[in-house]
Amino acid sequence: MRRVPVAPLIVAAVPLLIGVWVAVNTEWGDVTLPAPLRGEAASNPFYAAERLVAMLGATSERREALGDASPSAVVVLSTWGWDIDAVRRNELERWVEAGGRLVVDAALVSGSDAFEGWSGITRARDEELAAEEEDVFQAEEFFEPCQWLYEINYDAADVDDDPMEYQVCQLDRSRWLESSEPLQWALGDDETLQVARVAVGEGSVTLINAVPFVYREIFDGDHGPLLVAATQLRVGDHVVFMSEEDVSSLIELVWRHGAPVVTVLLFFIALALWRGAMRFGPLFAPVERARRSLGEQILGTGRFVARVGGGVALHTAAVRALHEAAARRIGGYERLAPEQRTAAVARLAAVDAGALAGALDLGSKPRSPELRGTLALLESARRTIIVKNQWSKHGKRI
């Protein structure tokens, strides 16, 4: 009898068992996803809160700085750096002390205890519970998204048997509020304080241990009524919403307020880099060096000789060339006296004898205009002598 192999059956059964276990332990359900925000609702976190304030008969605006806000207004801070700018912080503190109403959520960024020391409200923290909530593998449905908070009355003479209740969502359950100053108004559960308001100067500060007024969170639980209660909103009030969540970067601010200066600076930087960069060739294209003609060469040499030594060497050479040409055409030319030589050359070259005599004896320092005329006369006489006295091989004058 043939035995059936066991190993292949085990290998095939393991994936099957895993698939069955996954199918049995998987729950299927419908999840409703909200449509993505568009327009101003996507860029302004307080868009819905501003619309709510307007419906209740108040006005609102979004700012990046306190500016000239009236002490009778209300300021709501979310995702705000309290310690980033000491001047800005002191401006907010003076505004509250003058009568302003300040509402701050849990997204307040503070690197020190400046806010706690000024307002008297601190956020205590449960380290063990905070570690549990930071577990990224914990499913959201194991947390209660919303919690009922009750209005706490600190006035013993005015005890309300039926306090107001607010359903607040996304509370930071690892923290709670504590105050070293008398509370004007507060919300809490059976054990902890989650919303607290204290008096600071002529105004008040309200701290909420959640972020209930941004984007869609304003529609969760009782966040709308909570906004009214936290801001002490009345008809005709002006609410200023301030957030640094989408604040412009440093580069954007520099370009927005100093684009011309930045443009000029970049131009000079580019110019400096261009001037200091390594060059791949000469600054100007090289001039093509063409060969000069014989006439240009003679003219250039003559001008050089005329400039050097006042033209004496050039005049001497012209006189010597004329004597050599005349010696070849006039018999006994070397034995003639200077006056006779001049007269013989003048008759042969058909030039004035007096002018020729002056050209032959120009002096030691001839002037440029005289030198040009003298050289022209000597050269003309020499060429005339040569041309008139040329003979062919057959004895005929050419």
Side-chain angles (χ1 to χ4, degrees):
M1 182 177 178
R2 186 178 179 181
R3 299 181 58 183
V4 178
V6 180
L9 295 178
I10 295 177
V11 172
V14 170
L16 181 61
L17 293 175
I18 295 176
V20 172
W21 182 86
V22 170
V24 171
N25 292 274
T26 301
E27 296 182 3
W28 301 91
D30 296 331
V31 178
T32 303
L33 298 177
L37 298 175
R38 293 177 296 178
E40 187 179 356
S43 59
N44 183 5
F46 298 110
Y47 178 79
E50 291 184 37
R51 303 286 82 77
L52 175 61
V53 169
M55 293 175 60
L56 296 177
T59 59
S60 64
E61 64 174 317
R62 172 89 184 277
R63 290 189 183 183
E64 294 184 358
L66 182 62
D68 57 350
S70 171
S72 62
V74 184
V75 172
V76 179
L77 296 182
S78 181
T79 316
W80 186 266
W82 188 261
D83 296 334
I84 293 179
D85 189 346
V87 175
R88 184 179 66 175
R89 183 186 69 228
N90 294 333
E91 184 182 18
L92 270 172
E93 293 175 355
R94 290 194 301 268
W95 176 82
V96 172
E97 293 167 358
R101 288 167 282 170
L102 178 63
V103 179
V104 184
D105 62 15
L108 181 71
V109 180
S110 179
S112 64
D113 58 352
F115 177 80
E116 289 79 1
W118 171 69
S119 65
I121 305 175
T122 59
R123 298 181 66 199
R125 178 181 175 91
D126 188 337
E127 298 296 339
E128 294 182 0
L129 185 58
E132 295 178 3
E133 290 195 354
E134 290 175 357
D135 186 1
V136 296
F137 297 102
Q138 185 69 41
E140 292 185 0
E141 57 265 21
F142 287 92
F143 294 105
E144 295 181 3
C146 300
Q147 183 177 350
W148 286 100
L149 301 180
Y150 305 94
E151 191 174 40
I152 302 175
N153 195 328
Y154 292 90
D155 189 356
D158 186 16
V159 178
D160 191 354
D161 296 333
D162 189 16
M164 290 290 296
E165 297 180 2
Y166 297 88
Q167 191 179 31
V168 182
C169 304
Q170 301 299 329
L171 286 168
D172 187 354
R173 297 192 305 170
S174 65
R175 294 179 180 270
W176 64 91
L177 304 183
E178 295 179 352
S179 176
S180 60
E181 299 293 333
L183 294 171
Q184 289 185 336
W185 177 77
L187 296 178
D189 52 19
D190 297 333
E191 299 178 354
T192 59
L193 191 67
Q194 300 294 336
V195 180
R197 177 188 300 145
V198 297
V200 178
E202 299 295 329
S204 64
V205 177
T206 303
L207 179 60
I208 303 173
N209 191 31
V211 187
F213 305 138
V214 297
Y215 295 112
R216 289 193 176 92
E217 281 76 359
I218 190 68
F219 302 109
D220 296 339
D222 295 326
H223 292 180
L226 178 62
L227 175 63
V228 176
T231 58
Q232 308 172 68
L233 190 64
R234 299 181 293 268
V235 176
D237 280 347
H238 184 69
V239 183
V240 178
F241 293 95
M242 298 169 59
S243 174
E244 294 179 325
E245 181 175 354
D246 57 345
V247 69
S248 302
S249 64
L250 179 59
I251 297 178
E252 292 175 343
L253 292 175
V254 170
W255 179 255
R256 184 186 307 169
H257 298 287
V261 178
V262 174
T263 303
V264 173
L265 180 61
L266 292 178
F267 171 77
F268 280 108
I269 292 176
L271 181 62
L273 293 176
W274 175 75
R275 287 183 59 85
M278 181 179 295
R279 303 187 186 278
F280 296 95
L283 293 178
F284 302 99
V287 180
E288 184 178 358
R289 296 182 178 180
R291 295 186 61 182
R292 294 191 298 178
S293 64
L294 181 59
E296 292 176 342
Q297 181 68 31
I298 294 174
L299 181 62
T301 304
R303 288 176 178 175
F304 173 77
V305 175
R307 287 196 303 268
V308 177
V312 175
L314 187 59
H315 178 264
T316 303
V319 171
R320 183 175 61 251
L322 178 62
H323 287 319
E324 291 176 355
R328 290 193 296 269
R329 299 293 181 260
I330 300 173
Y333 182 80
E334 301 294 340
R335 296 188 297 272
L336 296 176
E339 294 79 4
Q340 294 175 342
R341 291 181 182 181
T342 302
V345 172
R347 287 193 303 270
L348 187 60
V351 297
D352 182 68
L356 183 60
L360 291 173
D361 188 13
L362 190 61
S364 59
K365 295 183 178 180
R367 291 179 294 178
S368 179
E370 296 177 356
L371 179 62
R372 292 178 183 177
T374 299
L375 294 176
L377 178 60
L378 295 175
E379 181 64 18
S380 176
R382 187 187 70 83
R383 293 185 181 184
T384 302
I385 294 174
I386 295 174
V387 171
K388 286 186 175 182
N389 294 276
Q390 285 184 347
W391 295 82
S392 66
K393 295 181 179 179
H394 304 284
K396 295 183 178 180
R397 187 184 298 272
I398 299 177

